[in-house]
Amino acid sequence: MLEAAKLKQWDELIGTASPEELIWINGYLSGIVARAARAPEPTTEAAPAVAVKKAHLVFGTETGNARKLAGRLAAAAKKKGISLKLSGLDQYRLTDLSKEDYFFIVISTQGEGEPPLTAKKFYEHIHATQPDLSTMKFSVLALGDTAYPLYCKTGEDVQQRFKALGATEIIPMQKCDVDYDADADAWFEQVAKLLSTPATVSAAAPAPIAKKASGKKYYEGTIVANINLNDRGSNRETYHIELTTEEPVVYEPGDTIGIVPRNRAVVVDRILALTGADGEQLVTTPKASASIRELLTIHLNICYLMTNTVKKYAALTAQDIPDTRMDLVDLLRIYPVKDATVFTEVLSLLLPVAPRLYSIASSPAAHGENEIHITVAKDRFLAEDEQRFGLCSEFLGDLPTGSTLNFYIHKSRNFKLPAPDKKIIMIGPGTGVAPFRSFLAERDATGAGGENWFFFGGQYFEKDFLYQTEMQAFHQTGVLSRLDLAFSRDQAEREYVQHRMLQQAADLYNWIEQGAHIYVSGVKDPMSKEVEQTLLQIIREQGGKTTEEATAFLEQLRKENRYEKDVY
């Protein structure tokens, strides 16, 4: 019941209010009552709420994974009642850095430790300038792929630079491999706990983010074909591998396949001999519990160990080892363990075998839902004056027909076919042909009317024209409207796909002006970078643009998803 004075004020307010104002007052009071009903009873142990001035979640992405993940985390924050601003680093105003309070960064690493294209300006800015970040509290969620040497390097660089600029790291950096959901959620739970503002000490902790029920969907495939596409005399080995499955595989052209390889038995035997370990001894590590032989063969990465792993090995074995990366067998040979007991402790230091991703070279419309193809080049290199091969490429190349392996589909966000009537320009030397074989097979099988133009390159026409018969058949039947080839060693001066692009500059620019989508696939450095410079040159010269205008033009194509890359 209101006091007389308050009741008089209330009557005066109600008496002079319009119908619309009365409706608003009614809703306002209902909201107050509802909030009061939901509020917990105050306790004598009430603690002052922590006031977060400003929290910002930014992302830098190349393939779209960081964007997708940051969006999911921001949505989870909203459900928890946490105010968290979300921005892409390509749109972030760099002058705002020194004004940030709580700053959280989700950022991927590309190729040889490079920042994603959308974060390049941000990355260069923090390293070229000296903003005062003394009032900033931050944390980094770094996405990477342990299959690559400089795993999460961009995240590490940002973390170290922010510290150097005076920022305080309030949550340790979380590194995430290709299968990042669990690690990312664990990191975000720490962020949510930090940013939440409980009214009392007894308030419930924030609810965890709902995780995927079963993680990745794995398929079991049987190899029905494993063919070297290079002819005799080539210094390359490129395998066309066909897998069949009992259940339909859900994928689209442009997706990739994830395969976890096995370590070679001969290498595992050498490790056991060097350490004196019993291969059948059961050992439990943070990654798995199995015999030492099974751990080394299936579960643990023993190739090109991370520098951090080598450092831990040096500390465990009390040896002075320089900052370097090397295979476990070389580490054990040069810096041996004292005995087999110490080696069982070494096993706990090793990371799990990371999946390797390969572009899918088949189409569900053309090859069926129970069949999937990949194109694998055997990776060769010298280490300690010994010829070595990439773990997964050798593993796959040596598998005979009838062998089985497990794989999953890694969905592509942007590297997808456009509408059936749209023109496409495909640039893919070597194994870059794989997704374009998928594109062409799909468009052929579905009767898509859009024109298709393919630039392909290799060393020698007779030895290295991958899928030659198929590509020539696509050209003859009109599925391939245009086919331009560049074989670098067939003449005195080397010629690459970018030379063919310049020769066709006028038509290429016309296709782009007519709405064509451009795709680049294959080796990132130097091929994809040189192709991009060639595209900029063509846009500048054929479009009569300045360098800045050509760059802006290509950037606009990228924003419209008309310029996509699948490079490694």
Side-chain angles (χ1 to χ4, degrees):
M1 186 68 180
L2 291 175
E3 297 175 1
K6 290 182 179 179
L7 183 59
K8 182 179 179 181
Q9 292 176 338
W10 181 251
D11 288 339
E12 290 175 354
L13 174 64
I14 298 299
T16 58
S18 68
E20 292 79 10
E21 288 172 333
L22 288 172
I23 292 172
W24 182 89
I25 290 171
N26 180 61
Y28 179 76
L29 291 175
S30 297
I32 291 176
V33 172
R35 283 198 299 271
R38 290 196 301 267
E41 291 295 324
T43 70
T44 56
E45 300 181 359
V50 179
V52 176
K53 297 178 183 177
K54 186 167 53 178
H56 206 154
L57 177 65
V58 298
F59 59 86
T61 187
E62 183 97 8
T63 63
N65 286 337
R67 180 193 297 111
K68 181 179 179 182
L69 177 58
R72 179 164 67 83
L73 297 182
K78 185 176 181 180
K79 290 181 180 179
K80 293 175 182 287
I82 297 170
S83 178
L84 187 61
K85 183 179 179 182
L86 179 66
S87 301
L89 283 173
D90 55 338
Q91 302 294 324
Y92 181 74
R93 191 164 56 193
L94 298 172
T95 53
D96 285 348
L97 262 179
S98 59
K99 306 172 188 175
E100 296 287 0
D101 188 0
Y102 288 84
F103 198 66
F104 303 100
I105 308 152
V106 180
I107 194 164
S108 61
T109 294
Q110 306 305 310
E112 297 301 315
E114 300 169 7
L117 187 63
T118 58
K120 188 175 181 181
K121 288 183 180 178
F122 166 81
Y123 183 88
E124 292 176 347
H125 175 79
I126 63 173
H127 285 87
T129 62
Q130 296 286 331
D132 179 6
L133 304 186
S134 57
T135 61
M136 177 191 286
K137 288 142 313 261
F138 82 98
S139 182
V140 178
L141 179 67
L143 304 186
D145 184 345
T146 51
Y148 292 90
L150 298 176
Y151 168 64
C152 291
K153 179 68 164 52
T154 298
E156 292 176 344
D157 290 347
V158 171
Q159 175 205 41
Q160 294 304 315
R161 186 56 181 163
F162 269 37
K163 286 182 177 180
L165 293 171
T168 302
E169 186 177 38
I170 49 174
I171 296 172
M173 178 174 65
Q174 175 67 61
K175 295 181 181 180
C176 298
D177 200 359
V178 175
D179 193 0
Y180 52 72
D181 286 332
D183 287 336
D185 287 349
W187 176 81
F188 182 70
E189 280 305 306
Q190 296 181 72
V191 173
K193 184 176 181 181
L194 180 77
L195 296 181
S196 61
T197 56
T200 67
V201 169
S202 60
I209 299 174
K211 294 181 174 63
K212 295 180 180 178
S214 58
K216 287 186 172 67
K217 164 67 176 176
Y218 276 87
Y219 300 89
E220 181 179 88
T222 301
I223 295 180
V224 294
N226 192 344
I227 304 163
N228 183 5
L229 296 173
N230 299 97
D231 209 341
R232 286 176 295 180
S234 174
N235 61 6
R236 306 281 179 91
E237 290 180 53
T238 310
Y239 294 93
H240 168 76
I241 298 174
E242 298 180 1
L243 297 164
T244 59
T245 59
E246 290 294 328
E247 60 180 314
V249 182
V250 180
Y251 76 95
E252 297 175 278
D255 290 341
T256 54
I257 182 175
I259 297 173
V260 179
R262 294 190 174 197
N263 293 306
R264 296 173 62 205
V266 64
V267 176
V268 172
D269 288 340
R270 287 179 65 184
I271 290 173
L272 294 175
L274 284 167
T275 60
D278 177 6
E280 304 312 310
Q281 178 185 344
L282 297 178
V283 173
T284 297
T285 74
K287 309 300 180 294
S289 296
S291 69
I292 293 179
R293 183 180 297 279
E294 182 180 327
L295 287 170
L296 293 172
T297 303
I298 299 175
H299 301 288
L300 300 177
N301 177 56
I302 60 176
C303 297
Y304 205 41
L305 305 182
M306 303 293 298
T307 54
N308 190 43
T309 303
V310 176
K311 285 180 182 179
K312 292 178 180 178
Y313 179 93
L316 178 64
T317 60
Q319 300 184 74
D320 186 16
I321 305 175
D323 287 348
T324 186
R325 300 190 65 181
M326 64 174 73
D327 289 352
L328 179 62
V329 68
D330 294 323
L331 189 62
L332 291 166
R333 178 173 54 81
I334 301 170
Y335 306 98
V337 293
K338 182 180 179 180
D339 52 36
T341 301
V342 175
F343 179 63
T344 59
E345 297 180 52
V346 171
L347 294 174
S348 295
L349 305 179
L350 302 178
L351 296 171
V353 176
R356 272 56 168 180
L357 298 178
Y358 294 93
S359 298
I360 296 173
S362 54
S363 151
H367 301 99
E369 296 180 338
N370 294 76
E371 188 168 325
I372 197 161
H373 305 169
I374 55 175
T375 311
V376 180
K378 182 176 277 192
D379 183 22
R380 303 169 181 263
F381 59 95
L382 288 174
E384 302 293 327
D385 296 323
E386 181 181 338
Q387 176 71 65
R388 306 241 179 126
F389 302 94
L391 173 61
C392 198
S393 62
E394 183 177 41
F395 165 71
L396 292 171
D398 291 344
L399 284 178
T401 56
S403 301
T404 60
L405 55 82
N406 293 329
F407 65 90
Y408 64 89
I409 300 299
H410 184 82
K411 303 296 291 182
S412 172
R413 179 182 176 87
N414 295 321
F415 202 85
K416 297 289 188 185
L417 279 168
D421 62 334
K422 296 292 185 182
K423 297 174 182 281
I424 62 172
I425 299 167
M426 301 165 287
I427 306 164
T431 51
V433 67
F436 301 140
R437 179 179 186 261
S438 176
F439 280 11
L440 292 168
E442 179 80 5
R443 284 202 146 187
D444 183 32
T446 58
E451 294 183 89
N452 310 299
W453 189 349
F454 185 28
F455 290 87
F456 175 77
Q459 289 191 345
Y460 299 98
F461 176 88
E462 293 184 354
K463 304 173 185 177
D464 304 309
F465 190 171
L466 308 182
Y467 299 110
Q468 177 182 350
T469 303
E470 290 185 21
M471 292 302 154
Q472 289 177 332
F474 280 141
H475 192 221
Q476 290 169 359
T477 58
V479 176
L480 253 179
S481 312
R482 302 184 65 158
L483 176 61
D484 280 272
L485 306 171
F487 293 97
S488 59
R489 311 295 173 85
D490 278 342
Q491 58 283 313
E493 291 191 17
R494 296 190 178 180
E495 296 182 352
Y496 301 101
V497 288
Q498 54 265 36
H499 295 107
R500 294 290 177 264
M501 292 167 62
L502 287 172
Q503 291 169 2
Q504 305 293 341
D507 287 349
L508 196 58
Y509 185 73
N510 284 338
W511 273 49
I512 297 172
E513 285 282 271
Q514 293 166 14
H517 289 239
I518 308 167
Y519 301 89
V520 181
S521 174
V523 178
K524 181 175 185 177
D525 194 12
M527 184 278 294
S528 71
K529 296 179 180 178
E530 292 176 352
V531 164
E532 182 159 310
Q533 290 305 309
T534 302
L535 280 171
L536 286 169
Q537 180 182 344
I538 291 171
I539 293 167
R540 187 175 65 251
E541 294 176 354
Q542 297 298 317
K545 303 179 187 298
T546 65
T547 299
E548 293 74 19
E549 289 171 340
T551 301
F553 182 90
L554 190 61
E555 180 60 26
Q556 184 60 33
L557 292 182
R558 200 191 316 270
K559 289 179 179 178
E560 295 173 0
N561 295 329
R562 287 180 53 203
Y563 175 45
E564 299 293 345
K565 295 185 289 186
D566 177 21
V567 296
Y568 44 87

